[in-house]
Amino acid sequence: MSTKRRIYLSKSRFQNGRQCRKRLWLEVHRRDLIQVSDASQARFDEGNHFGELARELLGGGPAIEAGPLDAERAQAETRALLELSVQQVPRIFEAAFEHDGVRIRADAVLRGAANNELVEVKSRTSVKGEYLWDCAVQAWVMRGAGLPLGRIHVGHVNNQFVLEREDDYSGLLIKVDVTGEVEPLIPEVPGIVGELKAVMKGNEPVIATGRHCGEPHPCPFTDYCKSQEPEEPDYPVSILPHGGKLVEQLKRDGFLDLRDVPEERLSNERHIRVARASRNAEAIISPELVDALGALAFPRYYLDYETIGPVVPRWIGTKPFQQVPFQFSCHIEQADGSIGHREFLDISGNAPMQGLVDALISACGTTGPILVWSRSFEAGRTREMAAWFPHKAAALNAIVERMVDLLPIFRDFYYHPAQMGSWSIKKVLPTIAPELDYADLEVSNGGMAQQAWREAAHPDISPERKQQLRAAMLKYCERDTWAMVKLARWRPW
Ligand code: SF4
């Protein structure tokens, strides 16, 4: 008797297999290779939070308790609920169905006398193409399992929602009827299912990495797949900023090393600079850099925010995904070279905006440029705070008016090959002040700062850990503005 374990497809395996056959195979056979980034984990946690809230917003009802690894019990629980009348159980969440080797859990089944409806819940703000396939495979399984299914919906986040009363999230979820788009896909599902089953049973597919690894979702096997491929050249063509189709075409034409690409193949001025600097292994610095930096008046303020943008708004007046500043660092440089520092950080979990606005206005004085890296972000957040606090709007709008962006100055007049096609401050800084990297910091990027905030603001955190996180977050944000000081003071000759 064969003891071989049967391998099932699931909704996520179906989707991951559509993205890449190798990804599906690895998920089934080499789960030990999965590497989930902090950003992906944070998105996942946020999605779960919205998913739980969506149940209430759809009217509430029983959710199948058996976990994802206990499909048989989940299906038995589902059958038991379906035997009860629609009046007794009008909605079922996480209902489990199986058909032809595919097991799915439906986010929400809205029951009706003759027909049921499916709602696929997504913590995004619009209906994306891949969601239709999520719905199609579920509809195919549900009907195959004998459940009459009529309308099909995607329930997504309403990006116009504003939290006006504490815990009142009515209106946060938008239900979009996608039946018309999904029905034509359903006949294609069995063919894809058959193909994916063959992939799961076969050997590891040989598929090169490419754009598909990030679309529609970043693949957690990227490190593994890259490790199987020949080592990349020091300056791969993929470093061309926003290279997209051009990079794909260059690769198809056999150009892997940017240094080998004839200059006539490049038309974008930045691409040409990146390629030249890579080829010559030296920085390209325009005289205008010195002029632009020298023209900045004193006192100079160097400002940086850290923000958090939860799917489910936490504070009155905020929208889903709205980036709310909870921290800033501000270095202040006088004409005589002396430096001061002001900062703010709120990890209480309460609305941080009022405290931050007061501290910001006090820190920024009334004259002198406020230097930022990528102005649209800091300016956008400051304008939003002006809208929240109309009585402080004049002072906040004056801060916006004084903001000067260091990024375009460096992007237009400076490029070092070690930047690898990027002008993020973390790429530029080590080429000018190598002693100032971020490797010694516990929190060393914006995503980690958000993770740290979530942990620090959690009610169960210990005071010691909270203090440790606070210190790490302050150090990180201060490093960002100190980096700007170093860059603005730098003179190449
Ligand atoms: S990294 Fe790319 S090639 Fe490798 S499994 Fe993922 S999607 Fe497929």
Side-chain angles (χ1 to χ4, degrees):
M1 192 179 79
S2 168
T3 55
K4 262 198 160 177
R5 187 172 54 94
R6 187 169 181 195
I7 305 171
Y8 291 88
L9 269 176
S10 63
K11 181 171 68 174
S12 61
R13 282 182 176 173
F14 178 85
Q15 286 289 52
N16 294 339
R18 284 186 60 249
Q19 178 177 358
C20 173
R21 304 307 194 234
K22 185 175 178 180
R23 176 173 180 175
L24 170 64
W25 191 93
L26 290 169
E27 285 202 1
V28 172
H29 300 284
R30 294 299 312 272
R31 294 189 64 78
D32 56 303
L33 297 172
I34 289 177
Q35 287 194 322
V36 180
S37 68
D38 289 346
S40 296
Q41 187 59 47
R43 268 198 304 276
F44 186 71
D45 295 343
E46 288 276 317
N48 280 347
H49 184 194
F50 178 68
E52 280 165 24
L53 184 60
R55 292 179 193 170
E56 282 172 41
L57 297 174
L58 287 167
I64 300 303
E65 285 177 8
L69 298 179
D70 200 351
E72 272 145 34
R73 191 157 74 84
Q75 288 166 27
E77 278 184 46
T78 304
R79 280 194 297 276
L81 286 173
L82 286 171
E83 276 166 20
L84 299 175
S85 72
V86 173
Q87 287 72 28
Q88 284 172 295
V89 182
R91 290 164 289 274
I92 306 174
F93 298 96
E94 293 298 317
F97 301 93
E98 177 178 331
H99 173 60
D100 196 13
V102 187
R103 289 172 160 173
I104 59 113
R105 300 289 289 261
D107 291 335
V109 175
L110 313 184
R111 299 178 69 204
N115 246 337
N116 300 281
E117 298 186 12
L118 166 68
V119 184
E120 169 71 5
V121 174
K122 294 292 183 189
S123 57
R124 289 288 177 270
T125 56
S126 61
V127 177
K128 299 194 186 331
E130 75 256 25
Y131 302 167
L132 304 178
W133 284 103
D134 271 329
C135 294
V137 67
Q138 289 179 87
W140 179 74
V141 170
M142 291 163 87
R143 286 175 182 160
L147 187 85
L149 181 69
R151 312 306 299 178
I152 301 167
H153 310 267
V154 169
H156 67 75
V157 178
N158 174 9
N159 62 2
Q160 296 307 308
F161 173 85
V162 178
L163 184 64
E164 286 171 354
R165 280 174 299 280
E166 210 163 315
D167 291 331
D168 182 357
Y169 290 102
S170 47
L172 176 62
L173 180 119
I174 293 183
K175 211 170 78 172
V176 181
D177 190 327
V178 291
T179 315
E181 289 104 307
V182 172
E183 289 291 356
L185 302 180
I186 295 173
E188 294 184 45
V189 170
I192 300 171
V193 164
E195 206 189 313
L196 297 182
K197 281 182 184 169
V199 169
M200 294 194 297
K201 282 190 203 139
N203 296 323
E204 180 176 336
V206 178
I207 295 175
T209 57
R211 286 176 84 183
H212 70 280
C213 303
E215 294 168 5
H217 303 293
C219 176
F221 296 104
T222 307
D223 285 355
Y224 165 71
C225 288
K226 287 218 182 272
S227 75
Q228 289 188 312
E229 295 177 350
E231 212 170 294
E232 284 203 317
D234 289 345
Y235 299 100
V237 288
S238 56
I239 68 171
L240 287 174
H242 306 291
K245 287 184 180 149
L246 171 65
V247 168
E248 293 295 310
Q249 187 58 51
L250 288 170
K251 282 183 179 172
R252 274 198 295 278
D253 295 345
F255 294 109
L256 299 180
D257 191 326
L258 181 58
R259 294 168 295 187
D260 297 336
V261 176
E263 203 153 295
E264 55 271 21
R265 292 291 306 265
L266 307 172
S267 54
N268 178 295
E269 185 276 328
R270 262 179 227 152
H271 289 175
I272 292 170
R273 252 192 311 144
V274 169
R276 268 188 204 162
S278 306
R279 216 167 18 245
N280 300 332
E282 65 179 21
I284 295 177
I285 307 168
S286 308
E288 290 97 323
L289 177 73
V290 176
D291 298 341
L293 295 177
L296 298 169
F298 291 96
R300 296 174 177 176
Y301 296 79
Y302 299 84
L303 178 67
D304 184 54
Y305 293 144
E306 298 304 326
T307 61
I308 190 89
V311 177
V312 177
R314 292 176 69 114
W315 303 298
I316 305 290
T318 61
K319 292 179 174 184
F321 296 108
Q322 184 166 16
Q323 295 296 320
V324 178
F326 59 81
Q327 177 176 16
F328 76 76
S329 167
C330 181
H331 277 97
I332 304 149
E333 182 184 19
Q334 304 295 339
D336 64 4
S338 61
I339 294 274
H341 183 244
R342 303 282 293 271
E343 62 190 355
F344 175 89
L345 171 61
D346 186 340
I347 49 174
S348 67
N350 300 323
M353 300 88 97
Q354 175 76 67
L356 186 137
V357 162
D358 292 342
L360 181 73
I361 292 171
S362 161
C364 286
T366 52
T367 55
I370 298 173
L371 302 169
V372 293
W373 196 271
S374 194
R375 184 179 187 276
S376 60
F377 185 78
E378 263 72 20
R381 304 298 74 77
T382 311
R383 284 197 197 97
E384 284 165 2
M385 291 190 283
W388 285 323
F389 303 106
H391 59 296
K392 303 280 169 101
L396 289 166
N397 287 330
I399 287 174
V400 173
E401 290 301 311
R402 289 163 55 206
M403 282 183 182
V404 175
D405 200 344
L406 279 175
L407 169 61
I409 296 177
F410 277 83
R411 198 173 45 206
D412 291 347
F413 305 135
Y414 179 84
Y415 180 75
H416 187 287
Q419 287 172 230
M420 299 297 282
S422 163
W423 277 270
S424 100
I425 194 164
K426 291 175 184 63
K427 287 288 187 185
V428 177
L429 182 68
T431 70
I432 285 173
E435 73 284 3
L436 261 193
D437 70 5
Y438 288 72
D440 60 319
L441 301 181
E442 184 187 349
V443 171
S444 58
N445 61 50
M448 290 172 84
Q450 293 181 344
Q451 281 291 74
W453 185 90
R454 282 191 195 92
E455 186 186 345
H458 197 280
D460 297 339
I461 191 168
S462 72
E464 297 75 31
R465 178 65 180 149
K466 192 161 189 154
Q467 194 47 41
Q468 186 188 4
L469 286 168
R470 182 178 170 78
M473 294 163 85
L474 288 172
K475 216 167 170 186
Y476 164 64
C477 200
E478 181 179 359
R479 180 70 53 91
D480 262 351
T481 49
W482 182 241
M484 282 193 276
V485 175
K486 291 291 260 190
L487 294 181
R489 282 176 160 187
W490 185 67
R491 298 293 178 272
W493 47 73

